[in-house]
Amino acid sequence: MTAPSTNTAKPATGLASLLKTALINALVALVLFSLMVGIRTEAGSDGQLTYWTRFGELASLVAVVFGGSIVIELLRQWIGPTGAERLVPPAVQSGMSLIGRYLTPALLIFTVLVPVIFYDQRYILDLAILVLTYVMLGWGLNVVVGLAGLLDLGYVAFYAVGAYSYGLLATNFGWSFWICLPLAGILAAFWGVLLGFPVLRLRGDYLAIVTLAFGEIIRLVIINWQSLTGGPNGVSGIPRPSFFGIPLDNSDDGFAARLGIEYSPTHRIVFLFYLILALALLTNWVTIRLRRLPIGRAWEALREDEVACRALGINTTTTKLTAFATGAMFGGFAGAFFATRQGFISPESFTFQESALVLAIVVLGGMGSQLGVALAALAMIGGFELFRGLETYRMLVFGMAMVLIMIWRPRGLIGHRAPTVYLTKAQAISSDLVKEGHG
Amino acid sequence: MSGDKTGDKILGVDRLTMRFGGIVAVQDLSFAAERKKITALIGPNGAGKTTVFNCITGFYKPTGGAIRLTHDDGRVIALERLNDFRIAKQAKVARTFQNIRLFPGMTALENLMVAQHNALMRASGFTLLGLVGAPVYRDAEKRAIDLATEWLRRVNLLDRADDAAGNFAYGDQRRLEIARAMCTEPALLCLDEPAAGLNARESAALSELLLSIRDELGTSILLIEHDMSVVMEISDHIVVMDHGVKIAEGTPREVRDDPKVIAAYLGADEEEAVAVMESGT
């Protein structure tokens, strides 16, 4: 059970070192918890300070930490060499890549069949639509963060621009969804370029802060521009999408009546499901295509080394702007879909938390990996619903699951990078070599 | 055939001055690089060589002076007025870096494809034609892969085309960086210490590569180098700098025997250097 000794890490095997680590951890826990748990203080009846000790609880907590660190250390040694960058042995990795080859088509077929399998389960269909919305947002943000390496914390701004574009155009001018959808994308892309210009010179943390601010600015403008956006009241009565002109309701020229079948409100849900699936797959297809085009390679090169890009005659300004615009456009599409699905939008839907969630999906999925982002969206949105039964502990369990995943796969679920062009054989590139970009 | 006449300048640097605050890194430097020749810029550490390079390749904006690039067709481009990526794109000046700057997470082939970005962008109709898979773009991409393959073969890395550049040994990375610069099809190739960190065998291979670039492709080369065996072997013309000014220039033989150069390298007075030199030979 001893780990194979590697030249990279100290081969910390042996019982002594195991106990030593556990003892240190337990000591730290003792210091931390002695005040937090061990001594309990409260204001007495006359306002004086009363306290009592809870050494029993303290001892059990320290014991849990002691035992837990031994178990974790054993697990680490069992999984792979301690201290090594990757905790998953190569055999498992290659096995997973084999699974990965069949995972994509299997997942796709399953996704297409979801409305058929769960036709009667409205809850699952709604959840699936939500997951797919986040898959699309994740894929859109992946262009900016994963490919171009520009850390964008204000992605929700483009989601909002898309949603309000459709909401306002449809309620004020009565334009149909299918005209507004491209318009929403174009407007969001326009705002992406607008954001891009001032932040081009910024990198890393500074870029992240400005994009975060941009997201908040858009939200505040929406709240305060009452005459246009309705302020905190939002926009209501947004038209539902039609099946290319045929309304999906129980009217005489509705979808059901025309087909001669009985009307069911599920028709609309199923239609929405396939709509967002189509939009998400479009995002995926375009991204995969773009990666193999010079612009996509320039994005990745920009993430790897901006100075070298300039030395090769690549216009880094337009390259960054196109990345922003492309990502924003997909955000805008998703926003328009969100508006038509909800029928009501308000600034509350476009808080920083949404940006953070989408970014978490991209990072958890493995930056740049399409499949990884889809799996991460499923895990984040679906997983969160899965823990609903845990009530108060939901966030705690969810947080722990995230930490475990990040320990297990520090570069995301799918961290390796697939080359965009090859002579003889496409080899996955280890995540150790791929840069994360610095703005 | 004006391009072949001797004394035909491709690069003319005229009274170049670069100041950083109160520090004068380069002062009134003038030299010329001839077409289809290898010009070396040498000097002790801190002499201002890389600053000159950064001015020529647009990474710095010179405080004063002129840098003129004359193309084969007679077009003259004022490099000090172009900035940044335009020097590589329009003036066709390619460079490598003292500390290698490859794209480590991309394969060798991808590195060379990125170098052909501008040509491929035009062929892909600025992405639109490429997105719909137009045959025009597919042909262009195939030609780009062919050019990249040709360069991989020249630098002897063809069998590693699909490996990540970050996995390459140091010497291989140096050669790949030169291949990447050449894939931009430059008129002038600027190499910043290409032999740094190479062993004797690798240095010899590098000399051979640079000579073949000059002789077979007719590309003019400007290089900074500390490895005197490489400089003396391949250079047609050498410019020696110290403390931001030019102290000597000429053929390798002339420079080698110049007491001022020896003094600069040994950090001694001119008279002492002459004495050292005479006692040495």
Side-chain angles (χ1 to χ4, degrees):
Chain A
M1 70 141 266
T2 45
S5 68
T6 52
N7 49 7
T8 48
K10 49 181 192 322
T13 54
L15 199 63
S17 73
L18 202 72
L19 285 176
K20 193 181 150 200
T21 318
L23 215 69
I24 291 172
N25 289 345
L27 208 68
V28 171
L30 180 70
V31 172
L32 273 177
F33 290 133
S34 59
L35 284 175
M36 288 199 289
V37 178
I39 301 173
R40 180 85 182 150
T41 57
E42 216 166 79
S45 50
D46 306 326
Q48 87 279 27
L49 185 74
T50 60
Y51 73 96
W52 63 95
T53 51
R54 300 194 293 185
F55 290 132
E57 283 93 336
L58 180 64
S60 57
L61 267 175
V62 171
V64 164
V65 170
F66 183 78
S69 54
I70 288 179
V71 169
I72 286 177
E73 198 57 34
L74 283 177
L75 269 177
R76 281 167 66 101
Q77 289 183 10
W78 172 65
I79 289 173
T82 12
E85 185 91 8
R86 201 185 303 115
L87 294 172
V88 183
V92 176
Q93 290 242 326
S94 66
M96 287 191 53
S97 77
L98 199 71
I99 296 168
R101 205 169 301 152
Y102 297 102
L103 192 58
T104 314
L107 266 179
L108 190 61
I109 291 168
F110 175 73
T111 314
V112 170
L113 290 179
V114 159
V116 180
I117 302 170
F118 302 106
Y119 186 78
D120 294 329
Q121 283 159 290
R122 174 79 191 261
Y123 170 70
I124 290 190
L125 283 183
D126 274 338
L127 182 61
I129 290 174
L130 191 67
V131 169
L132 281 177
T133 312
Y134 280 96
V135 168
M136 178 168 180
L137 284 172
W139 278 342
L141 185 62
N142 199 14
V143 172
V144 186
V145 179
L147 294 185
L150 303 163
L151 188 53
D152 185 352
L153 287 180
Y155 192 60
V156 76
F158 309 121
Y159 192 40
V161 168
Y164 271 86
S165 302
Y166 173 60
L168 294 176
L169 288 174
T171 50
N172 291 330
F173 303 111
W175 291 5
S176 94
F177 177 75
W178 296 102
I179 296 172
C180 292
L181 183 70
L183 280 179
I186 290 168
L187 279 170
F190 169 74
W191 282 99
V193 172
L194 226 58
L195 164 68
F197 265 114
V199 305
L200 279 173
R201 294 180 168 276
L202 304 177
R203 299 163 138 260
D205 311 351
Y206 303 97
L207 178 77
I209 289 169
V210 175
T211 51
L212 189 153
F214 183 77
E216 285 301 290
I217 288 169
I218 292 275
R219 193 173 64 86
L220 290 174
V221 166
I222 290 173
I223 289 180
N224 290 297
W225 196 353
Q226 295 237 2
S227 57
L228 180 74
T229 63
N233 300 328
V235 182
S236 54
I238 299 169
R240 304 295 189 167
S242 56
F243 186 78
F244 302 99
I246 307 168
L248 290 151
D249 55 17
N250 57 355
S251 62
D252 285 344
D253 56 351
F255 182 72
R258 285 201 187 192
L259 279 185
I261 51 174
E262 198 186 330
Y263 171 76
S264 153
T266 315
H267 289 163
R268 191 170 57 79
I269 307 296
V270 170
F271 175 69
L272 282 173
F273 178 87
Y274 283 117
L275 177 62
I276 187 63
L277 181 62
L279 284 173
L281 288 180
L282 176 79
T283 310
N284 186 32
W285 181 80
V286 170
T287 311
I288 288 174
R289 276 312 276 250
L290 285 177
R291 256 197 89 206
R292 291 182 188 152
L293 287 173
I295 186 70
R297 283 197 204 107
W299 287 338
E300 291 202 77
L302 200 65
R303 176 192 66 202
E304 297 283 318
D305 194 327
E306 188 178 337
V307 172
C309 280
R310 280 163 36 197
L312 294 173
I314 295 174
N315 187 342
T316 49
T317 309
T318 52
T319 307
K320 280 185 188 175
L321 284 182
T322 49
F324 265 117
T326 312
M329 183 180 72
F330 293 129
F333 287 155
F337 172 81
F338 177 76
T340 192
R341 176 190 168 222
Q342 300 287 99
F344 166 76
I345 46 173
S346 76
E348 274 168 47
S349 310
F350 307 106
T351 55
F352 170 67
Q353 196 172 353
E354 293 295 306
S355 292
L357 183 58
V358 179
L359 187 66
I361 286 173
V362 173
V363 172
L364 183 67
M367 298 206 293
S369 161
Q370 298 294 97
L371 178 63
V373 168
L375 289 176
L378 185 66
M380 293 281 288
I381 310 297
F384 201 60
E385 288 297 314
L386 203 68
F387 295 137
R388 195 176 275 282
L390 295 170
E391 293 170 6
T392 323
Y393 299 103
R394 189 173 168 202
M395 274 313 232
L396 189 71
V397 171
F398 190 64
M400 257 161 73
M402 292 275 301
V403 169
L404 282 180
I405 288 176
M406 282 339 250
I407 290 175
W408 178 49
R409 303 209 70 125
R411 291 296 294 263
L413 292 175
I414 298 183
H416 60 73
R417 174 181 175 272
T420 60
V421 60
Y422 57 90
L423 276 189
T424 47
K425 189 169 157 287
Q427 296 166 318
I429 295 164
S430 158
S431 57
D432 307 343
L433 295 169
V434 180
K435 293 267 198 305
E436 284 139 345
H438 28 66
Chain B
M1 290 306 287
S2 65
D4 281 333
K5 78 170 190 274
T6 50
D8 180 15
K9 287 194 297 185
I10 183 161
L11 181 78
V13 175
D14 189 26
R15 296 179 61 89
L16 177 73
T17 302
M18 184 73 215
R19 278 193 212 98
F20 298 102
I23 297 165
V24 184
V26 178
Q27 187 160 30
D28 282 340
L29 179 78
S30 300
F31 70 91
E34 281 178 45
R35 196 179 302 283
K36 295 179 184 175
K37 293 280 160 65
I38 296 177
T39 308
L41 195 57
I42 64 170
N45 287 325
K49 306 180 298 287
T50 300
T51 306
V52 172
F53 249 51
N54 284 339
C55 288
I56 293 171
T57 51
F59 282 83
Y60 292 159
K61 211 146 194 75
T63 319
I67 308 169
R68 295 280 177 274
L69 186 88
T70 315
H71 272 282
D72 281 345
D73 55 10
R75 254 183 329 136
V76 179
I77 297 174
L79 294 188
E80 79 276 7
R81 286 193 208 138
L82 287 177
N83 56 359
D84 175 49
F85 73 94
R86 286 194 184 81
I87 289 192
K89 189 180 176 181
Q90 290 161 10
K92 292 277 168 207
V93 176
R95 74 168 291 178
T96 64
F97 294 87
Q98 199 170 341
N99 44 344
I100 303 168
R101 300 197 86 121
L102 287 166
F103 306 121
M106 302 175 94
T107 66
L109 181 63
E110 281 180 305
N111 268 274
L112 303 193
M113 294 295 279
V114 171
Q116 302 176 56
H117 176 79
N118 288 317
L120 283 173
M121 266 314 250
R122 271 192 302 279
S124 72
F126 297 93
T127 304
L128 291 176
L129 285 176
L131 205 57
V132 296
V136 166
Y137 172 68
R138 268 190 244 148
D139 291 348
E141 189 179 38
K142 206 175 159 302
R143 278 198 304 278
I145 293 174
D146 287 344
L147 179 66
T149 313
E150 168 64 15
W151 272 104
L152 286 170
R153 194 188 53 72
R154 270 178 186 271
V155 296
N156 208 10
L157 291 170
L158 191 54
D159 51 333
R160 302 203 57 191
D162 298 326
D163 287 349
N167 270 338
F168 281 25
Y170 195 79
D172 293 349
Q173 293 200 5
R174 283 255 175 240
R175 290 206 309 282
L176 184 61
E177 203 189 14
I178 293 172
R180 189 180 67 178
M182 286 308 294
C183 274
T184 65
E185 307 201 293
L188 176 69
L189 176 66
C190 299
L191 304 170
D192 197 346
E193 298 201 23
L198 301 190
N199 62 32
R201 196 168 46 81
E202 287 170 328
S203 291
L206 176 80
S207 300
E208 216 170 285
L209 174 68
L210 295 184
L211 287 173
S212 83
I213 288 175
R214 179 192 69 182
D215 297 336
E216 289 167 29
L217 299 154
T219 307
S220 317
I221 297 176
L222 178 67
L223 83 155
I224 293 177
E225 190 46 73
H226 278 300
D227 187 333
M228 284 306 145
S229 68
V230 172
V231 172
M232 294 301 164
E233 187 190 332
I234 66 172
S235 303
D236 300 303
H237 188 78
I238 296 177
V239 178
V240 191
M241 283 180 74
D242 193 19
H243 295 108
V245 295
K246 182 172 79 179
I247 56 169
E249 85 178 297
T251 61
R253 175 170 293 278
E254 286 163 6
V255 165
R256 185 168 22 205
D257 297 338
D258 193 322
K260 271 191 287 191
V261 176
I262 295 156
Y265 268 91
L266 296 179
D269 290 337
E270 213 173 293
E271 290 79 18
E272 276 180 60
V274 172
V276 168
M277 195 173 65
E278 278 165 356
S279 67
T281 45

